[in-house]
Amino acid sequence: MNMTKPHLVQAQTSGCVITVSQTQPVLDSQNKNRTTPESDKKPSYHPAANAECDGQWSCSGVILDRNLGIVICQGAVFFPFLKKNENDFANPDCKVLFANDLPSDLLIQVESSIQSDISTKYGGHVLDDVLQPQSALGLVPMSKSKSGRLQQQAQLLILLPCPDFQKAFSKLFNKEEGWVFSSDEEKNEYGEFQKDLAYLHWFAILKLQNPLPNTHKMGIMDSSKLVKGSTVYACGSPFGSFYTDIFLNTISKGVLSNTAGDRNVVLLTDARCLPGSEGGGMFLSTEGVLHLIGIIVAPLCWKTNEWVGLSVACSLSHILDNIGKVLGGKELALKNELRTLHLVDHQMCKNMGTVSSEHLMASVVLVDCGQAWGSGVLLSPNLVLTCRHVLRNSLKVSVKIYHPKISSGRQTHEWYQAIKGRVLFATQAFSPYDIAVVELEETIPGITEPVLASGYCTGEDVYVVGFGALGDRCGPSVTSGVLSSVISVGNVPVMLQTSCAVHGGSSGGPLFSAESGKLLGIVASNTRDNCTGATYPHLNFSIPITVVQPAIQRYRQYGDLRSFGELNKAGHAIQDVWRLQRSPGKVVQSKL
């Protein structure tokens, strides 16, 4: 029996795939160039990269109102067909485009999940084909599809940008740091970062040829209510219109890792998304009710060739607000079509699992040695635990404490308090335990000291909190996962492995238990394949807090730092663990 968790049914029934093409494309058998100049151009950013698109462009979408047949998706799939110059839409003065800005023979098809017995009632075409071999993914057909998929035509109502998103996105991800939002293959074929940026903040509103049966009204959460660390779900269709029999409306789960911009217009999540998911929805469930909070714009991102493992979305409430601003007092049918899309003004439950996210965030700091930055955790109002390599041999550092500012129930902006600190202790370079202790020149009032864990449970839900990748451009990021493994030497835990996404800048940040909120460890590294240079953010290692707990307690009680010196006396077995080796000479040296 095929079942979906009740609170996720609406996410899947609202998901769809949009395919855009011209009804009369003329393809040359040799070079497949289209005959019209407008459609001869490939877009700089292609949300579902495929070299054999043959004039068809696709992405995911969300059905906002089934009764009215209103659909939203990313606007990039329409730009290959624009009559205007491709640079026009990147002009800040270009605030809206309509159907007459595109060829009259444009065909827009929307494919969604629906029961086959009602498909004829709603005028669509049910797809229930035998799976064909697809060489691109190496799929081998096993059986006939059992699920009906309804495909019907749609019309374009409006194409418009979200300026607030573009403004915040540009500040958060600058070109100089090597941010890329497509793979090397996509980048080589479809364009570089600056052109990618021009597409990301555009969205399309469509209307289906026929309405769909209504199950529940879509709730839309105001982004200003969102709290980092909340559980979120992403629903999109990897690879767009290709292989929808398998990938249509795929669900992934994660947390709201970070937000940026006015009223949280930019949303980041560690929920796993794939190319073609652009235009899909990001959802949040509260009190059993599912709310749509954002539209996915970039499922993958890299920083200086390091995969970050986060997906970027744009707040839906900002998109809807912008529609109202653009239309203004104009008497357009579109205003009536969209007037039912009201925000749900529920106050978010401020928790992360069963633990207060504010409580965990408040203990995390950014450690800046002038050459680079890392993360740290406040053990007390004036004591920070971090990693040795974050300090770069510095004796003094700047510790930045993040303070979000709340105004009239809405987060307007944030600021950092910078406090000087001196290094009390750092392990020697030969020690496998990459630990340092920093004392602040001023105390931080109101900080609740984290509770140190005394044991570990493999498989438990965990969070990593830190300033990886984004630095101080916004507050600390949260990534979720499980405690994948507890590695012990002589029954003593010496290393923790998790599946959370960890990036450069996360080092020294805390690893928390999602259930208890206890401090489990300090993030020390993720994994790099030295042969290929590939980095794996979801394979990372932390130093168990039980390793340093005796020294911390002694320092708290007596102000004695000598116990930290025991970390330099770790034996060869522990050193081999942190080198990812067994006994030297018995195995080939690890390439990680």
Side-chain angles (χ1 to χ4, degrees):
M1 180 182 295
N2 180 26
M3 296 181 64
T4 302
K5 288 190 174 183
H7 65 291
L8 296 179
V9 170
Q10 192 174 4
Q12 286 200 309
T13 56
S14 67
C16 60
V17 166
I18 291 89
T19 304
V20 184
S21 62
Q22 284 186 266
T23 57
Q24 300 294 329
V26 179
L27 298 177
D28 181 87
S29 59
Q30 297 296 323
N31 56 30
K32 298 186 178 181
N33 286 331
R34 304 183 191 93
T35 57
T36 59
E38 292 82 5
S39 61
D40 188 55
K41 302 171 184 174
K42 283 190 176 181
S44 304
Y45 179 82
H46 182 217
N50 190 293
E52 299 177 356
C53 62
D54 289 337
Q56 292 188 350
W57 304 86
S58 66
C59 67
S60 300
V62 181
I63 304 171
L64 295 179
D65 191 311
R66 297 176 67 88
N67 281 331
L68 294 176
I70 301 296
V71 177
I72 187 170
C73 69
Q74 198 181 30
V77 288
F78 290 93
F79 291 120
F81 307 98
L82 279 176
K83 294 178 181 178
K84 296 182 178 182
N85 184 282
E86 65 175 5
N87 294 321
D88 287 353
F89 70 87
N91 189 328
D93 295 330
C94 183
K95 297 181 179 179
V96 63
L97 295 168
F98 294 102
N100 57 9
D101 292 307
L102 296 134
S104 58
D105 64 340
L106 200 67
L107 178 64
I108 306 171
Q109 292 182 304
V110 177
E111 187 174 340
S112 59
S113 301
I114 195 167
Q115 296 295 323
S116 59
D117 56 353
I118 61 174
S119 61
T120 54
K121 179 179 178 181
Y122 294 94
H125 175 60
V126 172
L127 306 175
D128 195 21
D129 304 323
V130 176
L131 283 172
Q132 298 298 320
Q134 302 286 358
S135 59
L137 290 183
L139 298 180
V140 179
M142 298 294 291
S143 62
K144 188 175 181 180
S145 168
K146 301 296 183 182
S147 58
R149 295 163 353 260
L150 180 66
Q151 188 177 82
Q152 59 173 306
Q153 293 185 26
Q155 67 181 86
L156 175 67
L157 296 180
I158 190 173
L159 267 168
L160 79 167
C162 182
D164 288 339
F165 176 86
Q166 185 189 34
K167 179 181 178 181
F169 183 91
S170 300
K171 290 182 178 179
L172 198 61
F173 305 102
N174 62 61
K175 183 181 179 182
E176 289 71 25
E177 289 188 342
W179 284 97
V180 176
F181 295 87
S182 55
S183 66
D184 288 339
E185 292 78 8
E186 291 175 289
K187 182 174 65 174
N188 291 335
E189 186 170 359
Y190 298 112
E192 297 294 337
F193 174 86
Q194 287 300 323
K195 291 187 177 181
D196 290 348
L197 181 61
Y199 283 92
L200 289 177
H201 66 295
W202 279 81
F203 301 91
I205 306 294
L206 316 175
K207 184 174 183 180
L208 297 175
Q209 189 176 37
N210 298 285
L212 294 169
N214 185 39
T215 52
H216 303 282
K217 179 151 181 70
M218 175 69 68
I220 299 171
M221 179 69 70
D222 187 335
S223 61
S224 66
K225 306 290 186 182
L226 300 176
V227 176
K228 285 192 290 187
S230 302
T231 299
V232 297
Y233 301 89
C235 182
S237 300
F239 316 116
S241 62
F242 302 98
Y243 320 111
T244 54
D245 200 16
I246 298 175
F247 299 113
L248 181 66
N249 299 334
T250 298
I251 296 286
S252 60
K253 180 181 178 181
V255 296
L256 184 63
S257 297
N258 217 324
T259 62
D262 178 55
R263 294 185 296 119
N264 301 331
V265 63
V266 176
L267 310 176
L268 292 100
T269 179
D270 61 357
R272 312 288 178 85
C273 300
L274 290 171
S277 299
E278 293 89 341
M282 183 190 294
F283 298 85
L284 182 146
S285 179
T286 175
E287 298 179 354
V289 179
L290 194 70
H291 304 291
L292 180 62
I293 61 174
I295 302 299
I296 300 167
V297 298
L300 300 175
C301 55
W302 287 262
K303 181 183 179 183
T304 58
N305 298 320
E306 177 181 338
W307 179 41
V308 173
L310 297 178
S311 298
V312 184
C314 176
S315 154
L316 180 61
S317 56
H318 282 78
I319 299 172
L320 297 181
D321 287 347
N322 196 51
I323 290 175
K325 293 177 182 177
V326 168
L327 296 179
K330 297 178 182 178
E331 291 299 327
L332 296 176
L334 179 58
K335 292 178 66 176
N336 293 326
E337 302 282 15
L338 299 179
R339 65 183 177 182
T340 61
L341 301 178
H342 297 299
L343 297 179
V344 179
D345 193 26
H346 290 172
Q347 181 65 39
M348 274 292 302
C349 297
K350 295 189 176 182
N351 61 41
M352 186 165 62
T354 57
V355 179
S356 168
S357 58
E358 283 87 354
H359 169 69
L360 299 185
M361 298 280 183
S363 64
V364 183
V365 298
L366 186 147
V367 180
D368 187 353
C369 70
Q371 306 172 57
W373 82 82
S375 303
V377 59
L378 283 163
L379 297 177
S380 67
N382 70 335
L383 197 68
V384 173
L385 186 65
T386 186
C387 283
R388 175 193 65 239
H389 76 264
V390 169
L391 306 179
R392 302 286 181 94
N393 297 318
S394 299
L395 297 178
K396 293 186 178 182
V397 296
S398 175
V399 174
K400 297 181 179 179
I401 294 90
Y402 169 75
H403 295 284
K405 183 177 180 179
I406 307 298
S407 176
S408 302
R410 290 189 172 188
Q411 182 174 317
T412 55
H413 69 275
E414 58 277 337
W415 61 284
Y416 283 90
Q417 177 184 5
I419 299 177
K420 293 181 179 180
R422 65 186 184 96
V423 179
L424 293 180
F425 172 83
T427 52
Q428 297 295 322
F430 59 77
S431 173
Y433 293 129
D434 188 352
I435 287 291
V437 181
V438 176
E439 184 182 52
L440 303 181
E441 293 183 357
E442 304 174 35
T443 59
I444 310 300
I447 297 297
T448 303
E449 296 180 8
V451 178
L452 308 186
S454 58
Y456 308 96
C457 180
T458 300
E460 70 174 308
D461 292 333
V462 294
Y463 297 106
V464 166
V465 186
F467 290 87
L470 299 175
D472 60 1
R473 289 192 177 88
C474 50
S477 297
V478 184
T479 56
S480 60
V482 297
L483 184 57
S484 305
S485 180
V486 179
I487 299 91
S488 300
V489 172
N491 295 322
V492 176
V494 298
M495 173 191 280
L496 305 178
Q497 178 189 333
T498 85
S499 62
C500 302
V502 165
H503 327 107
S506 298
S507 295
L511 172 68
F512 288 115
S513 166
E515 183 176 353
S516 67
K518 291 182 178 180
L519 178 62
L520 301 178
I522 300 299
V523 176
S525 68
N526 56 17
T527 307
R528 181 183 297 274
D529 186 327
N530 290 330
C531 294
T532 65
T535 300
Y536 305 100
H538 297 282
L539 178 60
N540 52 81
F541 306 100
S542 297
I543 300 167
I545 199 63
T546 50
V547 169
V548 295
Q549 192 169 14
I552 292 171
Q553 290 176 339
R554 185 168 182 83
Y555 179 75
R556 283 175 171 174
Q557 291 177 346
Y558 308 110
D560 185 358
L561 286 167
R562 288 178 296 178
S563 293
F564 283 102
E566 296 297 317
L567 299 174
N568 291 321
K569 300 178 182 179
H572 292 294
I574 298 175
Q575 293 178 2
D576 289 343
V577 166
W578 278 97
R579 290 170 182 159
L580 302 187
Q581 291 179 329
R582 294 178 184 172
S583 298
K586 293 184 178 181
V587 294
V588 177
Q589 184 177 0
S590 170
K591 65 179 181 178
L592 298 180

